[in-house]
Protein backbone atom coordinates (compact mmCIF):
# COMPACT_ATOMS: atom_id res chain seq x y z
CA UNK A 1 0.00 0.00 0.00
CA UNK A 2 1.08 3.56 -0.66
CA UNK A 3 -0.69 5.03 2.39
CA UNK A 4 -1.60 3.78 5.86
CA UNK A 5 -5.13 2.37 5.88
CA UNK A 6 -5.49 2.81 9.66
CA UNK A 7 -4.88 5.73 12.00
CA UNK A 8 -5.19 6.13 15.78
CA UNK A 9 -6.49 8.90 18.01
CA UNK A 10 -6.32 8.96 21.81
CA UNK A 11 -9.79 9.64 23.22
CA UNK A 12 -8.90 9.59 26.92
CA UNK A 13 -6.51 7.80 29.27
CA UNK A 14 -8.18 4.44 28.60
CA UNK A 15 -9.54 4.54 25.05
CA UNK A 16 -7.89 4.89 21.66
CA UNK A 17 -10.08 5.22 18.57
CA UNK A 18 -8.66 3.47 15.51
CA UNK A 19 -10.08 4.64 12.19
CA UNK A 20 -9.98 2.97 8.80
CA UNK A 21 -9.69 4.84 5.54
CA UNK A 22 -13.32 3.88 4.84
CA UNK A 23 -14.53 5.63 7.99
CA UNK A 24 -15.14 2.76 10.41
CA UNK A 25 -14.03 3.21 14.01
CA UNK A 26 -12.60 0.52 16.27
CA UNK A 27 -11.79 1.03 19.94
CA UNK A 28 -8.85 -0.15 22.02
CA UNK A 29 -9.87 -0.04 25.69
CA UNK A 30 -7.03 -0.30 28.22
CA UNK A 31 -7.07 -0.89 31.95
CA UNK A 32 -4.19 -1.11 34.37
CA UNK A 33 -3.48 -4.75 33.50
CA UNK A 34 -5.15 -5.75 30.24
CA UNK A 35 -6.92 -4.38 27.18
CA UNK A 36 -9.78 -5.16 24.81
CA UNK A 37 -9.83 -4.38 21.09
CA UNK A 38 -13.35 -3.85 19.77
CA UNK A 39 -13.71 -4.99 16.13
CA UNK A 40 -11.11 -5.72 13.44
CA UNK A 41 -12.49 -4.02 10.30
CA UNK A 42 -12.25 -5.26 6.72
CA UNK A 43 -9.26 -7.55 6.78
CA UNK A 44 -6.78 -5.07 5.34
CA UNK A 45 -3.35 -5.86 6.77
CA UNK A 46 -1.77 -3.49 9.26
CA UNK A 47 -4.30 -3.32 12.07
CA UNK A 48 -2.40 -5.78 14.26
CA UNK A 49 0.85 -3.88 13.79
CA UNK A 50 -0.82 -0.61 14.78
CA UNK A 51 -2.52 -2.05 17.87
CA UNK A 52 0.77 -3.52 19.05
CA UNK A 53 2.41 -0.10 18.83
CA UNK A 54 -0.35 1.47 20.95
CA UNK A 55 -0.33 -0.97 23.87
CA UNK A 56 2.13 -3.40 25.39
CA UNK A 57 -0.58 -4.97 27.55
CA UNK A 58 -2.05 -8.38 26.88
CA UNK A 59 -5.36 -7.95 25.09
CA UNK A 60 -8.40 -9.83 23.87
CA UNK A 61 -10.61 -9.06 20.89
CA UNK A 62 -14.37 -8.50 20.90
CA UNK A 63 -16.32 -8.50 17.64
CA UNK A 64 -19.61 -6.61 17.87
CA UNK A 65 -21.18 -8.45 14.92
CA UNK A 66 -20.34 -10.47 11.83
CA UNK A 67 -20.45 -7.88 9.04
CA UNK A 68 -17.38 -7.57 6.85
CA UNK A 69 -16.45 -4.07 8.05
CA UNK A 70 -16.21 -5.30 11.65
CA UNK A 71 -15.10 -8.93 11.61
CA UNK A 72 -12.90 -9.79 8.63
CA UNK A 73 -9.63 -8.72 10.24
CA UNK A 74 -9.72 -11.50 12.84
CA UNK A 75 -7.05 -13.70 11.18
CA UNK A 76 -4.39 -11.18 12.24
CA UNK A 77 -5.36 -11.97 15.86
CA UNK A 78 -5.54 -15.76 15.73
CA UNK A 79 -3.14 -16.02 18.69
CA UNK A 80 -5.53 -13.97 20.85
CA UNK A 81 -8.87 -14.82 22.44
CA UNK A 82 -11.37 -13.50 19.87
CA UNK A 83 -15.01 -13.32 20.96
CA UNK A 84 -18.14 -13.02 18.84
CA UNK A 85 -21.75 -14.02 19.37
CA UNK A 86 -22.01 -17.39 17.61
CA UNK A 87 -25.35 -16.41 16.07
CA UNK A 88 -23.32 -14.26 13.66
CA UNK A 89 -20.87 -16.94 12.51
CA UNK A 90 -22.93 -17.76 9.36
CA UNK A 91 -23.03 -14.04 8.57
CA UNK A 92 -19.26 -13.74 9.02
CA UNK A 93 -18.73 -16.69 6.70
CA UNK A 94 -21.01 -15.19 4.05
CA UNK A 95 -18.89 -12.02 4.07
CA UNK A 96 -15.60 -13.79 3.27
CA UNK A 97 -15.58 -13.86 -0.56
CA UNK A 98 -12.95 -11.46 -1.83
CA UNK A 99 -15.43 -9.66 -4.07
CA UNK A 100 -17.45 -8.60 -1.00
CA UNK A 101 -14.69 -6.68 0.78
CA UNK A 102 -13.03 -5.44 -2.42
CA UNK A 103 -16.36 -4.06 -3.66
CA UNK A 104 -17.06 -2.44 -0.30
CA UNK A 105 -13.67 -0.72 -0.16
CA UNK A 106 -13.91 0.47 -3.76
CA UNK A 107 -17.37 1.89 -3.10
CA UNK A 108 -16.27 3.72 0.04
CA UNK A 109 -12.90 5.04 -1.17
CA UNK A 110 -14.06 5.91 -4.66
CA UNK A 111 -11.37 7.77 -6.58
CA UNK A 112 -9.05 7.59 -3.57
CA UNK A 113 -8.71 3.80 -3.92
CA UNK A 114 -5.77 4.15 -6.31
CA UNK A 115 -4.05 6.55 -3.90
CA UNK A 116 -3.84 3.77 -1.31
CA UNK A 117 -2.48 1.28 -3.83
CA UNK A 118 -4.26 -1.67 -2.24
CA UNK A 119 -3.49 -4.98 -3.93
CA UNK A 120 -4.66 -8.53 -3.28
CA UNK A 121 -1.58 -9.06 -1.11
CA UNK A 122 -2.77 -6.36 1.29
CA UNK A 123 -5.71 -8.45 2.51
CA UNK A 124 -5.55 -11.07 5.26
CA UNK A 125 -6.40 -14.65 4.43
CA UNK A 126 -9.95 -15.96 4.51
CA UNK A 127 -10.57 -18.25 7.50
CA UNK A 128 -14.13 -19.66 7.32
CA UNK A 129 -13.74 -21.84 10.42
CA UNK A 130 -12.15 -19.21 12.63
CA UNK A 131 -12.13 -20.16 16.32
CA UNK A 132 -14.48 -17.56 17.77
CA UNK A 133 -15.06 -17.84 21.49
CA UNK A 134 -18.68 -17.24 22.47
CA UNK A 135 -19.57 -13.66 23.31
CA UNK A 136 -22.73 -13.58 25.36
CA UNK A 137 -24.94 -11.14 27.18
CA UNK A 138 -23.66 -10.35 30.67
CA UNK A 139 -19.98 -11.05 30.07
CA UNK A 140 -17.55 -8.78 31.92
CA UNK A 141 -13.93 -8.18 30.95
CA UNK A 142 -11.95 -6.93 33.97
CA UNK A 143 -9.03 -4.91 32.62
CA UNK A 144 -7.83 -3.57 35.97
CA UNK A 145 -9.54 -0.42 37.20
CA UNK A 146 -11.78 -0.51 34.13
CA UNK A 147 -14.34 -3.12 33.12
CA UNK A 148 -16.10 -3.79 29.82
CA UNK A 149 -19.63 -5.17 30.11
CA UNK A 150 -21.28 -6.91 27.17
CA UNK A 151 -24.97 -6.60 26.30
CA UNK A 152 -26.98 -8.23 23.52
CA UNK A 153 -28.69 -5.81 21.17
CA UNK A 154 -30.04 -7.87 18.24
CA UNK A 155 -31.71 -6.12 15.35
CA UNK A 156 -29.00 -4.99 12.94
CA UNK A 157 -27.88 -8.64 13.02
CA UNK A 158 -28.97 -11.59 15.13
CA UNK A 159 -25.82 -11.48 17.23
CA UNK A 160 -25.11 -7.76 17.56
CA UNK A 161 -23.59 -6.78 20.91
CA UNK A 162 -22.79 -3.46 22.59
CA UNK A 163 -20.17 -2.49 25.18
CA UNK A 164 -20.57 -0.54 28.40
CA UNK A 165 -17.58 0.90 30.28
CA UNK A 166 -19.29 1.86 33.55
CA UNK A 167 -16.26 3.47 35.20
CA UNK A 168 -16.07 5.95 32.32
CA UNK A 169 -19.81 6.28 31.78
CA UNK A 170 -19.43 5.28 28.12
CA UNK A 171 -21.77 3.09 26.06
CA UNK A 172 -20.47 1.96 22.67
CA UNK A 173 -23.50 1.07 20.56
CA UNK A 174 -21.58 0.65 17.31
CA UNK A 175 -23.91 -0.30 14.46
CA UNK A 176 -26.67 -1.45 16.82
CA UNK A 177 -28.02 2.07 17.27
CA UNK A 178 -26.57 5.01 15.38
CA UNK A 179 -27.29 7.80 12.90
CA UNK A 180 -28.19 5.41 10.08
CA UNK A 181 -28.88 2.01 11.62
CA UNK A 182 -29.37 -0.59 8.88
CA UNK A 183 -32.54 -2.56 9.55
CA UNK A 184 -33.52 -3.59 6.05
CA UNK A 185 -31.61 -6.78 5.26
CA UNK A 186 -33.21 -10.23 5.47
CA UNK A 187 -31.28 -11.00 8.66
CA UNK A 188 -32.49 -7.88 10.49
CA UNK A 189 -35.28 -7.68 13.05
CA UNK A 190 -38.60 -6.12 12.25
CA UNK A 191 -39.10 -2.54 13.41
CA UNK A 192 -41.47 -3.77 16.12
CA UNK A 193 -38.97 -6.30 17.46
CA UNK A 194 -36.14 -3.78 17.32
CA UNK A 195 -38.19 -1.23 19.21
CA UNK A 196 -38.77 -3.66 22.08
CA UNK A 197 -35.10 -4.65 22.16
CA UNK A 198 -34.16 -0.97 22.38
CA UNK A 199 -36.64 -0.38 25.21
CA UNK A 200 -35.21 -3.36 27.10
CA UNK A 201 -31.61 -2.15 26.77
CA UNK A 202 -32.53 1.41 27.71
CA UNK A 203 -34.19 0.19 30.89
CA UNK A 204 -31.31 -2.13 31.78
CA UNK A 205 -28.66 0.58 31.42
CA UNK A 206 -30.61 3.58 32.68
CA UNK A 207 -28.36 6.04 34.53
CA UNK A 208 -25.16 4.10 33.85
CA UNK A 209 -23.64 6.20 31.06
CA UNK A 210 -23.46 9.80 29.89
CA UNK A 211 -21.61 9.33 26.59
CA UNK A 212 -22.43 7.19 23.55
CA UNK A 213 -19.90 6.20 20.86
CA UNK A 214 -20.63 4.63 17.48
CA UNK A 215 -18.48 2.98 14.79
CA UNK A 216 -18.84 5.00 11.59
CA UNK A 217 -17.41 8.45 10.80
CA UNK A 218 -18.52 10.52 13.83
CA UNK A 219 -17.42 8.94 17.10
CA UNK A 220 -19.80 10.49 19.64
CA UNK A 221 -23.55 10.95 19.35
CA UNK A 222 -26.20 12.25 21.73
CA UNK A 223 -26.57 10.34 24.99
CA UNK A 224 -30.35 10.11 24.44
CA UNK A 225 -29.99 8.08 21.26
CA UNK A 226 -31.82 5.04 22.65
CA UNK A 227 -34.89 7.11 23.51
CA UNK A 228 -34.66 8.83 20.15
CA UNK A 229 -34.52 5.47 18.39
CA UNK A 230 -37.66 4.33 20.19
CA UNK A 231 -39.35 7.50 18.93
CA UNK A 232 -38.18 6.76 15.38
CA UNK A 233 -39.68 3.28 15.60
CA UNK A 234 -42.95 4.76 16.88
CA UNK A 235 -43.01 7.18 13.95
CA UNK A 236 -42.47 4.35 11.47
CA UNK A 237 -45.30 2.39 13.06
CA UNK A 238 -47.47 5.50 12.92
CA UNK A 239 -46.59 6.40 9.34
CA UNK A 240 -44.84 9.63 10.31
CA UNK A 241 -41.63 9.22 8.26
CA UNK A 242 -40.13 10.61 5.04
CA UNK A 243 -39.25 7.17 3.60
CA UNK A 244 -36.40 8.32 1.38
CA UNK A 245 -35.26 5.34 -0.78
CA UNK A 246 -31.75 4.21 0.21
CA UNK A 247 -30.44 1.41 -2.05
CA UNK A 248 -27.34 -0.34 -0.72
CA UNK A 249 -25.46 -3.20 -2.42
CA UNK A 250 -28.55 -4.40 -4.25
CA UNK A 251 -30.99 -4.07 -1.34
CA UNK A 252 -33.57 -1.30 -0.94
CA UNK A 253 -34.15 0.38 2.41
CA UNK A 254 -35.99 3.54 3.42
CA UNK A 255 -34.57 6.34 5.58
CA UNK A 256 -37.04 7.26 8.30
CA UNK A 257 -36.03 10.83 9.21
CA UNK A 258 -34.71 13.67 7.07
CA UNK A 259 -30.90 13.93 7.17
CA UNK A 260 -28.03 15.40 5.19
CA UNK A 261 -25.60 13.41 3.05
CA UNK A 262 -23.59 12.52 6.17
CA UNK A 263 -26.68 11.19 7.97
CA UNK A 264 -26.90 14.13 10.36
CA UNK A 265 -30.58 14.59 11.14
CA UNK A 266 -31.94 17.97 10.15
CA UNK A 267 -33.68 18.35 13.51
CA UNK A 268 -30.41 17.81 15.42
CA UNK A 269 -31.26 14.43 16.92
CA UNK A 270 -28.95 11.43 16.55
CA UNK A 271 -31.02 8.28 15.94
CA UNK A 272 -32.22 7.21 12.51
CA UNK A 273 -33.26 3.99 10.80
CA UNK A 274 -32.98 2.67 7.28
CA UNK A 275 -35.70 0.04 7.34
CA UNK A 276 -37.52 -2.54 5.26
CA UNK A 277 -41.19 -1.75 4.57
CA UNK A 278 -41.91 -5.48 4.50
CA UNK A 279 -40.50 -5.94 8.02
CA UNK A 280 -42.32 -3.42 10.17
CA UNK A 281 -44.55 -5.63 12.35
Amino acid sequence: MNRDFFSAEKVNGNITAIRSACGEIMYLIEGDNKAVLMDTNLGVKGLRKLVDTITDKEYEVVITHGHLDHALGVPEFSDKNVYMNHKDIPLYQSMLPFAERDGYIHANLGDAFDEYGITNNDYVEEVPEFDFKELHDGMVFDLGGVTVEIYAYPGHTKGTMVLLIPELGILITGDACNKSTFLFDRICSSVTEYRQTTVNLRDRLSGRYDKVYICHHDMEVGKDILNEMIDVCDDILGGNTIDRPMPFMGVMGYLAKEADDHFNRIDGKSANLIYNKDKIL
Side-chain angles (χ1 to χ4, degrees):
M1 279 187 293
N2 301 328
R3 296 173 57 183
D4 290 335
F5 192 79
F6 301 104
S7 61
E9 171 192 356
K10 198 73 173 176
V11 177
N12 56 42
N14 299 99
I15 299 177
T16 301
I18 301 173
R19 296 178 182 269
S20 83
C22 290
E24 299 86 13
I25 307 172
M26 296 146 280
Y27 296 95
L28 180 67
I29 307 158
E30 297 182 80
D32 294 333
N33 306 319
K34 298 171 59 177
V36 160
L37 172 66
M38 192 192 97
D39 287 341
T40 60
N41 203 234
L42 288 152
V44 176
K45 292 178 181 177
L47 179 60
R48 173 64 183 266
K49 181 179 179 181
L50 177 58
V51 172
D52 288 351
T53 63
I54 297 170
T55 185
D56 58 2
K57 298 182 177 71
E58 183 58 40
Y59 61 91
E60 299 178 290
V61 180
V62 168
I63 304 299
T64 57
H65 64 289
H67 276 146
L68 79 171
D69 51 335
H70 296 262
L72 290 198
V74 292
E76 282 200 308
F77 302 90
S78 58
D79 60 324
K80 303 291 185 181
N81 290 327
V82 180
Y83 298 83
M84 185 174 74
N85 188 315
H86 283 185
K87 292 178 181 178
D88 269 13
I89 288 178
L91 175 61
Y92 159 80
Q93 293 170 333
S94 75
M95 299 276 109
L96 288 174
F98 174 77
E100 294 285 339
R101 77 177 91 181
D102 190 56
Y104 179 96
I105 294 175
H106 268 91
N108 279 271
L109 290 183
D111 294 340
F113 183 88
D114 291 339
E115 297 177 19
Y116 283 88
I118 301 171
T119 69
N120 292 6
N121 292 330
D122 292 315
Y123 295 105
V124 302
E125 62 182 319
E126 299 173 7
V127 184
E129 302 303 323
F130 190 85
D131 183 22
F132 289 105
K133 299 187 180 301
E134 175 68 10
L135 185 68
H136 59 80
D137 185 90
M139 285 185 71
V140 178
F141 293 85
D142 186 350
L143 309 181
V146 171
T147 56
V148 175
E149 300 178 4
I150 307 297
Y151 293 92
Y153 193 168
H156 179 59
T157 73
K158 294 178 180 179
T160 299
M161 314 295 273
V162 299
L163 282 63
L164 177 71
I165 311 169
E167 295 83 2
L168 304 180
I170 294 173
L171 175 66
I172 306 178
T173 58
D175 284 7
C177 182
N178 61 26
K179 299 194 303 179
S180 57
T181 301
F182 282 15
L183 204 69
F184 58 86
D185 199 2
R186 58 179 177 79
I187 63 170
C188 298
S189 298
S190 69
V191 173
T192 301
E193 293 168 332
Y194 179 70
R195 181 193 185 281
Q196 188 58 54
T197 300
T198 305
V199 169
N200 293 344
L201 186 72
R202 178 200 64 185
D203 293 348
R204 290 178 74 184
L205 302 185
S206 177
R208 301 194 64 203
Y209 62 90
D210 53 24
K211 290 181 180 292
V212 177
Y213 294 166
I214 58 175
C215 288
H216 287 271
H217 303 292
D218 296 330
M219 183 183 74
E220 188 171 355
V221 293
K223 67 178 182 179
D224 292 326
I225 192 169
L226 295 180
N227 281 321
E228 292 174 4
M229 189 62 82
I230 295 165
D231 290 341
V232 172
C233 292
D234 287 339
D235 284 343
I236 293 172
L237 293 168
N240 185 28
T241 50
I242 64 163
D243 292 348
R244 186 203 303 172
M246 296 289 295
F248 181 80
M249 298 182 76
V251 183
M252 179 60 74
Y254 293 86
L255 185 69
K257 293 295 181 179
E258 188 63 66
D260 64 21
D261 291 341
H262 299 286
F263 294 107
N264 299 304
R265 274 179 59 171
I266 301 303
D267 61 9
K269 295 182 180 180
S270 296
N272 213 342
L273 273 180
I274 303 173
Y275 73 101
N276 185 334
K277 289 188 176 183
D278 294 327
K279 297 189 70 173
I280 294 178
L281 301 178

